[in-house]
Amino acid sequence: SGVYTVNPGHKDVIRTFGKETARTEPGLNYRYPWPFQRVDIVSVEQIRRIEVGFRGAQRVPGEALMLTGDLSAAVVEWTVQWLVVDPAKFLFQIDNDPIARGSTASVSHINATIQAVAQSVMHRLVGDYSIDEMLTEKRDEVRLAAERAVQALLDKYDCGIQITGLQMQRVTPP
């Protein structure tokens, strides 16, 4: 029960009695059976994507509606792409529920955290520009500033996540 495989593009974190004790290379590996050791395997090459303000073709107006600097309303939809750069930090810094770790609930919790960070940053930045600037020449400037600010906040959380892209999909008046 202690033999396991780490696929290419993945990294593992071996925990002995709950504390990180080792990491191994991709391939066939061995750990002491549970309850002595546990292994968590995380994809470090998979780029994950979060949609804010929409889900596929469906709009989510509660996430997208923002107030601009000239007190106009704007609907701003964007995506955040991210990947894991440090599996141990990823596993232990954001998600404090060791039972749910690695489950769908855990991934949705991390997505919700990244989405909340991205929304707070975007609301602050959109509030610095007029609706005309958001629709035209300042759109790319806001996107770049948002990408840097989201990464800076995630770095403060020390969560082992790297933002690989932030793309503004649609900016329209409501």
Side-chain angles (χ1 to χ4, degrees):
S1 67
V3 176
Y4 68 97
T5 302
V6 178
N7 294 323
H10 291 73
K11 294 202 176 183
D12 70 341
V13 176
I14 298 174
R15 292 186 281 163
T16 305
F17 299 115
K19 182 179 178 184
E20 179 188 359
T21 54
R23 295 183 191 190
T24 62
E25 295 297 317
L28 194 61
N29 295 290
Y30 180 80
R31 64 162 171 87
Y32 293 116
W34 186 87
F36 303 106
Q37 286 187 326
R38 174 183 170 170
V39 65
D40 295 296
I41 301 173
V42 178
S43 172
V44 293
E45 290 182 359
Q46 176 189 1
I47 296 179
R48 295 162 172 94
R49 174 184 160 116
I50 300 170
E51 297 173 338
V52 184
F54 69 102
R55 302 291 183 279
Q58 183 180 3
R59 290 186 170 186
V60 183
E63 296 174 1
L65 192 60
M66 299 183 192
L67 193 61
T68 62
D70 60 354
L71 301 179
S72 298
V75 175
V76 182
E77 299 171 355
W78 71 95
T79 61
V80 179
Q81 296 174 335
W82 60 279
L83 58 83
V84 176
V85 291
D86 187 329
K89 289 179 181 179
F90 173 73
L91 290 169
F92 303 124
Q93 291 298 99
I94 290 181
D95 189 6
N96 292 325
D97 184 3
I99 295 170
R101 192 169 292 116
S103 69
T104 305
S106 176
V107 171
S108 66
H109 176 74
I110 292 164
N111 281 340
T113 301
I114 296 170
Q115 181 176 338
V117 168
Q119 281 183 281
S120 69
V121 165
M122 193 62 80
H123 278 279
R124 180 178 53 83
L125 289 171
V126 168
D128 291 341
Y129 295 92
S130 70
I131 185 71
D132 292 331
E133 291 174 323
M134 286 299 301
L135 292 171
T136 57
E137 74 267 7
K138 298 292 184 177
R139 181 179 170 153
D140 198 47
E141 181 179 314
V142 170
R143 181 191 69 78
L144 290 171
E147 189 174 321
R148 286 191 302 268
V150 169
Q151 184 63 59
L153 276 174
L154 292 174
D155 289 345
K156 280 186 181 179
Y157 292 160
D158 197 26
C159 59
I161 294 172
Q162 166 114 27
I163 299 299
T164 60
L166 188 144
Q167 305 298 324
M168 294 179 74
Q169 302 296 316
R170 191 178 316 163
V171 178
T172 58

